[in-house]
Amino acid sequence: MFDGLHDIDWASMEHAYGSAEEVPALLWALRSPDAGERSQALDRFHGAVHHQGDVYPSTAASLPFLFELAADGVTPDRAAVVALVVSIGRESLDRGFEDDGTEIEYYPPTGCAQAVAFLRERGAEFAELARDADPDVRLAAIPGLGLFLDDTDRAAAVLRERLAAEQAVAARLRIVEAAAALALRLPAAAEQVMDWLGGLAADPAQGPVTRLAAVVQRVRCAPDEIGEDVVPTAVGLLRESAYAIPVRRIAPAPNRPAAPTPGVAPQIVAAFEDLDRRTRVYAPTTILLRSFHEALGARVPERTAVLAEQLSSPDPGSRLDAVRMSGELMRTWRGDHTRLILLVADQLTTDAQEVAAEAAAILETCHPIAAPAREALATHIEAQRTAHGPHVWATPQALRRRSHQEAVRALARLGDARALPSLLAALDSDADAWRAIQVAGQLPQAANELVPRLCDHLRRIDLSRQRTEMSANAILSALAVLGDLAAVAVVADTLGAAVSMGQHNITQSALKALGAFGPAAAGAQDSIRSLTTATDAHVRPAAVAALWAVGGDLSEAMPLLLGLLDGPITFHIGDAAGLLGEMGPPASIAMPRLRDLLTHDYEWVRVHCAAALWEIGGEAEAPAVLDTLLQAMTRNPATANHVVTCLDRMGSLAAPALPLLREQLALPRRGGRFQSIDHDEELQRVGRTLIARLATPDEFATLVDDHLI
């Protein structure tokens, strides 16, 4: 066992956390009789040598020895080892090669090519592992037939043999998936695999789950050949499958440490909890259906029909996975999502609290389009408060607490005051108050009740401690949006404390908040002025912006802004240009420099400077401004929100932008800054307004016919 293991210079190689010299010990530990030692070694291997799917030279060098473990019948936990081998190979194919099979060159080099070459040399052995007496080993090995066995006839024959022999749903799903992987990898196998999948899909003796898998995997092999009957067929098979698979309770999440790591912000803890939830799969058909949705792509109505069926499943785990897929669809693709929003909102009334909590969370993340769910959210919140009392926000029952909090946050993001009682309860009790603070700014009509509580929370933050900026910044942001002048004094005090404690991020946020209060914050003007020469790159422009907002002294602000324009830091230039644009014509002294910056090599600088030129110079600057904006939006679609905002202010002079605007609105995938749902919805709204204003009657009619307006 392990001949040659110590002939390898492991110390000369690395993994995610440094030297790979521990690899031999990890490999030996994988065959230890002690289950705890094996588990710890496997976790370490995944966490360091195969970190987040990465394949290092040390990962590839481990494969011969992992294969020995997999092939040795006395190895404990062989299925886990086989699964590790397959994972390394799959990730190597995904990360190391283009779609046409060309190797991607990385520096420093990865072990992807070495791993794939080795596994293809040993590809025939996956056929034996797929016939192993241990069903878990077979399940783990089946994908290797599609990924690594180059003998297409043998691979196809073994897959047919295994489908006839295997009765477990998970194994049958993997066999059909492996067949598709074989066809996608080796064109010589495509025809026979497609014919086989077509036969399976039409064979009622196979059962609905296998037939559904065949339909989906055939689509995956030929997404350009999706016919009108594919989705209705899949929906019908999905309906049958729901009653062919036993309904099970949702498995509880793995136990986690009761107390978070000391000093870690609750927002970070929650982010990791959310990441853990996203990686969990609750239904055996979920991975298959994800593949189907991926193949359907921009076909939003068809995907909604599939999701509607998923969301009606009697199995709560299937519905939970479907709720998440619904969120992914709405956040990624444009379209009318009203039906899907309402279907997700219907899940708020389910007895499965995990599903209700996830539905509320999805509505919160999709809040720009979640208005149709407003009443369902309000009803859910009121029912919880009636059944469990006014302090249900802080209930010790974790799933109920999450369900309530996410629903309250979603309703608050819709600007609905019915979220207020729970937000006030959170702020008064200090139970998960940070979740309430994040949405408090969405209820300006309740500023008189929210602002005193937010100020109290801000006063109680100890700025001498590290990792307080997330909490302080969120409060300062909320106070800035709410705009209640009663908060000016506490914000000014926070600025002074943040400066004295060297908390630059909080200093920046306090400056932005004071700027939002305008002249009412004049009492803090000296403190603000002293920070206009700060060495911190983010504090300095924030101080200049606040000084102008509070004092309005052009003669004082202009030299500072020109200094930022002349500097090398690109976001300084953008910030300064934005402020000069707000000043308008009185900032004309900056126009020569702004014109020069239209040739800057960074498109974001060009966009900000072009927008400022329009605000300052008006119609005379229109040709250069328009040319700069359209070029930037073409080359970097992330600038689209800024571009269309300026175009909207240009009025009829923006008419040459019509073709680009039509092209932008015709895109099926969300765009704009970060391709986020909020930026994209705003981009579409402004774009449609612009087109309606600028298009001729004939052009407008055509756009209506094409559903672009």
Side-chain angles (χ1 to χ4, degrees), residues 282-338:
Y282 295 91
T285 55
T286 293
I287 294 174
L288 173 71
L289 292 168
R290 283 192 183 281
S291 296
F292 193 33
H293 283 289
E294 183 178 345
L296 290 173
R299 295 175 173 86
V300 170
E302 291 89 340
R303 292 180 65 179
T304 300
V306 176
L307 285 165
E309 190 60 41
Q310 292 177 247
L311 289 166
S312 67
S313 171
D315 178 56
S318 296
R319 298 201 308 276
L320 177 53
D321 290 338
V323 166
R324 289 183 181 153
M325 283 188 243
S326 299
E328 291 162 9
L329 172 62
M330 293 187 286
R331 290 191 297 267
T332 305
W333 299 96
R334 294 171 171 174
D336 183 356
H337 295 299
T338 302

Side-chain angles (χ1 to χ4, degrees), residues 159 171 224 228 236 258 275 294 388 422 426 533 578 616 633 636 640 648:
L159 289 169
D224 295 334
E228 292 182 359
L275 182 62
E294 183 178 345
H388 307 291
S422 290
T533 57
I616 298 168
M633 184 169 163
N636 184 357
D648 189 41

Side-chain angles (χ1 to χ4, degrees), residues 36-399:
E37 186 178 356
R38 294 195 306 273
S39 177
Q40 186 176 6
L42 188 65
D43 286 347
R44 178 63 179 173
F45 203 102
H46 276 286
V49 191
H50 190 36
H51 175 70
Q52 296 182 351
D54 287 338
V55 179
Y56 307 92
S58 60
T59 320
S62 305
L63 280 172
F65 310 106
L66 290 172
F67 225 101
E68 282 191 60
L69 288 168
D72 188 347
V74 301
T75 299
D77 302 331
R78 288 173 62 224
V81 176
V82 175
L84 174 58
V85 169
V86 170
S87 175
I88 292 169
R90 180 186 287 112
E91 294 293 340
S92 295
L93 286 166
D94 289 345
R95 299 170 185 233
F97 297 86
E98 303 284 5
D99 291 340
D100 61 2
T102 305
E103 182 182 349
I104 300 173
E105 294 187 8
Y106 290 99
Y107 186 82
T110 68
C112 293
Q114 181 185 346
V116 170
F118 171 80
L119 291 172
R120 289 196 171 145
E121 287 175 6
R122 308 291 289 270
E125 297 183 40
F126 283 96
E128 300 309 314
L129 289 169
R131 296 186 179 103
D132 196 88
D134 185 336
D136 292 331
V137 170
R138 297 199 304 270
L139 186 66
I142 286 166
L145 296 170
L147 296 172
F148 311 122
L149 182 51
D150 288 336
D151 184 336
T152 58
D153 290 336
R154 184 178 182 190
V158 174
L159 289 169
R160 287 194 295 269
E161 167 203 308
R162 296 320 308 159
L163 189 69
E166 297 284 358
Q167 297 304 313
V169 168
R172 295 176 72 82
L173 289 173
R174 286 205 185 179
I175 290 165
V176 180
E177 180 184 15
L182 180 68
L184 289 167
R185 181 171 66 89
L186 299 173
E191 184 176 354
Q192 65 171 311
V193 168
M194 290 285 282
D195 288 344
W196 184 50
L197 293 176
L200 290 176
D203 182 3
Q206 294 296 331
V209 178
T210 302
R211 293 175 64 199
L212 176 63
V215 169
V216 170
Q217 297 300 346
R218 201 171 191 278
V219 165
R220 183 176 161 222
C221 291
D224 295 334
E225 300 176 15
I226 299 175
E228 292 182 359
D229 62 328
V230 168
V231 170
T233 299
V235 168
L237 290 169
L238 182 57
R239 185 173 300 134
E240 292 181 48
S241 299
Y243 295 95
I245 301 173
V247 173
R248 295 174 296 181
R249 292 184 59 189
I250 294 175
N255 290 329
R256 301 295 180 194
T261 305
V264 177
Q267 297 91 327
I268 299 297
V269 175
F272 276 97
E273 290 174 349
D274 188 51
L275 182 62
D276 179 62
R277 278 191 291 267
R278 290 185 192 181
T279 58
R280 302 188 75 210
V281 173
Y282 295 91
T285 55
T286 293
I287 294 174
L288 173 71
L289 292 168
R290 283 192 183 281
S291 296
F292 193 33
H293 283 289
E294 183 178 345
L296 290 173
R299 295 175 173 86
V300 170
E302 291 89 340
R303 292 180 65 179
T304 300
V306 176
L307 285 165
E309 190 60 41
Q310 292 177 247
L311 289 166
S312 67
S313 171
D315 178 56
S318 296
R319 298 201 308 276
L320 177 53
D321 290 338
V323 166
R324 289 183 181 153
M325 283 188 243
S326 299
E328 291 162 9
L329 172 62
M330 293 187 286
R331 290 191 297 267
T332 305
W333 299 96
R334 294 171 171 174
D336 183 356
H337 295 299
T338 302
R339 182 188 179 196
L340 198 50
I341 286 287
L342 292 173
L343 287 168
V344 171
D346 286 344
Q347 300 299 317
L348 294 171
T349 60
T350 180
D351 291 334
Q353 292 188 42
E354 299 93 333
V355 181
E358 197 62 34
I362 292 302
L363 293 171
E364 195 266 337
T365 61
C366 295
H367 66 271
I369 59 171
R374 180 190 300 271
E375 294 307 316
L377 287 164
T379 300
H380 179 62
I381 292 166
E382 184 57 32
Q384 288 181 316
R385 290 176 62 85
T386 300
H388 307 291
H391 300 292
V392 62
W393 174 281
T395 178
Q397 211 286 330
L399 290 173

